[in-house]
Amino acid sequence: MWIKNAWYVACRPEEVQDKPLGRTICGEKMVFYRGKNHVIAAVEDFCPHRGAPLSLGYVQDGNLVCGYHGLVMGCDGKTVDMPAQRVNGFPCNKAFAVVEKYGFIWVWAGEKALADESKLPHLEWADHPEWQYGGGLFHIQCDYRLMIDNLMDLTHETYVHASSIGQKEIDEAPPVTKVNGDHVVTERYMENVTAPPFWKMALRGNNLADDVPVDRWQRCHFYTPSNVHIEVGVAHAGHGGYHATADKKVSSIVVDFITPETETSHWYFWGMARHFQPENAELTEQIRAGQNTIFSEDLDMLEQQQQNLLRHPQRQLLMLNIDAGGVQSRKVIERLCAEENQQTQTTTKFPNIHVI
C-alpha cells in the first residue's frame, strides 16, 4: 500500500551521470537517465521490442539506446529509431515526471499529467549557507511502513542504539503525538540528562563542553507520502533546551526519505542536516559515519522483523502509547490511498466526466 500520485526521492544526482539507472519505485520499474542538456528523464524500464531492461543500455545524443538490439527511445517514451526498422507503429512507454532539486532526483510515481512541482517538500536546510548535509542510501528488505513506525517511535534507541544515541531517560519521557491534517508530530523532551556518545561528539564538534548535563529533544515529523524528518539536539541544561541560543546547543534534522520499492522492500535515503559548524568537512564525515553505523543497526532489526511478520501473518501486534506516531502516520497513508483508489475507479468507469 502506497500513495502513487506523489513525489518520491528516486536517487541522488551522482547515481545518474553517464549511464542509465534502473530502479523500482512503488512497484514501477523505471530507468533514469540524462537527456539533452543533461536534463534528467525517466521512462518505463522495458524495451517495447523484446522486453529487455532499457537500464542495461546506454545514452547517446540525449536518447536512451537499448543494449539488446539498439532501439532508440526518447525522453517522452516514444521510439525514435531502430536499425533497419520503421518505428512509427511502435507502442509508447510510460514516461514519468521527474525533477532535480535540493540535491535529489524526485519522481512522481503516478499519472504524469497530475504531477505538480509545487507539491515538492520545502527543505529549509538545502542550499543554505548556515546548514550542512551529509547522508547515504540503504536498500532495505522490509515494508516501508515498518521504517516509518521505527522513526516515529524513538523508544527503540535505548535498546537498538545503546552505544551511540540510546539512554534510559528516553523510556522515562513519555512522547506526545499530534495530528494536523496529513502532518503527524511526535515529541519527546528530556531535561538535565547526560548526553549519549553521539551527542557528546557533536557538542565537541561545536566547541561546547560534553561533560555537563544537557536538555535533549526529539521532534518526529511525518509528511506524505513517506518522509520522516526529526528535529534532534541537545543544549547545556538550563538554557532553554530546544529554544536555547546557538552558542549553547547542537541541533540538527535527521532527514529520512523512504521510497517504497515492493511490498517488502524500500529505498532509504538517510542523512543529517546540521545547524552548526557547516564549514567543517571533517565533522560532516564524522557525523555521516556515525549515522551509517546507527542506521545499519536499524536495517538488521527491520529486515528480521519483516521475516517474522511474513512467517506469522495471523498474529495481531500490540499497539501501545509509544506507537501513536506510527499508527497515526499509517492512518494518513491509508486514507490517502483510499481516496486515490476511489478517484482512479471513478475516472476509469466514467472516463469522459470531470470529477471535482
Side-chain angles (χ1 to χ4, degrees):
M1 175 185 290
W2 44 62
I3 303 164
K4 289 293 287 284
N5 288 316
W7 292 107
Y8 289 92
V9 172
C11 54
R12 293 295 300 268
E14 57 265 28
E15 294 184 85
V16 190
Q17 291 301 326
D18 300 327
K19 298 180 180 180
L21 172 73
R23 186 150 286 171
T24 299
I25 295 174
C26 294
E28 298 268 7
K29 290 185 69 65
M30 307 176 185
V31 54
F32 297 85
Y33 60 102
R34 301 280 180 181
K36 294 186 184 301
N37 300 317
H38 213 58
V39 175
I40 195 69
V43 297
E44 185 182 5
D45 194 8
F46 184 95
C47 179
H49 171 222
R50 301 298 296 168
L54 291 170
S55 56
L56 297 181
Y58 56 93
V59 180
Q60 186 176 68
D61 298 328
N63 292 318
L64 186 59
V65 181
C66 179
Y68 198 12
H69 296 96
L71 179 142
V72 182
M73 178 163 289
C75 297
D76 56 1
K78 296 180 181 179
T79 301
V80 175
D81 192 20
M82 187 173 178
Q85 303 296 324
R86 296 179 180 178
V87 300
N88 291 341
F90 281 34
C92 289
N93 268 24
K94 183 176 181 179
F96 299 90
V98 285
V99 174
E100 188 169 351
K101 191 173 183 179
Y102 298 135
F104 297 96
I105 290 172
W106 307 76
V107 64
W108 184 272
E111 295 300 319
K112 186 176 181 180
L114 299 177
D116 183 351
E117 192 169 338
S118 70
K119 292 183 178 180
L120 282 167
H122 173 65
L123 305 180
E124 61 173 318
W125 46 266
D127 301 321
H128 195 294
E130 295 180 3
W131 290 78
Q132 183 58 257
Y133 173 84
L137 168 64
F138 287 159
H139 186 207
I140 303 183
Q141 301 302 311
C142 80
D143 186 326
Y144 78 104
R145 292 171 296 178
L146 293 180
M147 178 59 84
I148 294 173
D149 296 343
N150 175 72
L151 294 168
M152 292 300 289
D153 170 27
L154 299 183
T155 307
H156 74 276
E157 288 185 354
T158 303
Y159 309 97
V160 181
H161 311 304
S163 64
S164 55
I165 54 176
Q167 60 186 127
K168 61 182 179 59
E169 287 87 357
I170 296 175
D171 284 348
E172 298 166 358
V176 175
T177 297
K178 304 172 184 177
V179 182
N180 182 12
D182 299 339
H183 179 201
V184 182
V185 183
T186 293
E187 301 174 305
R188 178 186 269 117
Y189 300 91
M190 293 152 273
E191 296 183 352
N192 205 38
V193 301
T194 299
F198 178 88
W199 286 111
K200 284 188 175 184
M201 176 269 292
L203 285 165
R204 293 192 300 271
N206 199 27
N207 301 314
L208 291 170
D210 68 347
D211 57 351
V212 299
V214 298
D215 296 332
R216 183 181 179 185
W217 59 90
Q218 299 170 329
R219 305 180 76 233
C220 309
H221 299 262
F222 168 79
Y223 300 101
T224 57
S226 53
N227 305 327
V228 178
H229 297 173
I230 310 174
E231 296 178 84
V232 292
V234 298
H236 284 176
H239 291 277
Y242 176 76
H243 299 287
T245 56
D247 63 333
K248 298 295 183 182
K249 70 180 179 182
V250 285
S251 61
S252 303
I253 299 174
V254 178
V255 180
D256 306 287
F257 294 115
I258 307 153
T259 300
E261 181 188 38
T262 69
E263 296 289 350
T264 56
S265 63
H266 67 272
W267 304 99
Y268 178 37
F269 297 86
W270 55 266
M272 178 174 279
R274 73 175 186 277
H275 202 194
F276 61 94
Q277 299 287 327
E279 73 290 343
N280 191 332
E282 182 179 351
L283 181 60
T284 299
E285 179 54 30
Q286 194 173 5
I287 290 175
R288 194 203 66 78
Q291 275 202 303
N292 183 79
T293 299
I294 291 167
F295 291 140
S296 294
E297 294 167 342
D298 283 318
L299 185 155
D300 186 49
M301 180 65 72
L302 291 171
E303 290 190 337
Q304 294 198 45
Q305 178 190 13
Q306 177 68 74
Q307 291 306 308
N308 253 359
L309 294 175
L310 291 173
R311 279 191 291 267
H312 303 284
Q314 77 286 355
R315 299 285 287 269
Q316 294 296 312
L317 303 182
L318 301 178
M319 295 300 172
L320 310 178
N321 64 319
I322 59 174
D323 301 311
V327 169
Q328 294 300 327
S329 299
R330 285 185 179 233
K331 286 183 177 180
V332 171
I333 293 171
E334 290 168 5
R335 173 173 53 80
L336 293 178
C337 283
E339 292 174 2
E340 188 172 274
N341 290 338
Q342 181 62 40
Q343 177 76 5
T344 300
Q345 292 171 8
T346 302
T347 54
T348 300
K349 187 175 181 180
F350 305 106
N352 296 321
I353 296 178
H354 179 60
V355 180
I356 299 177

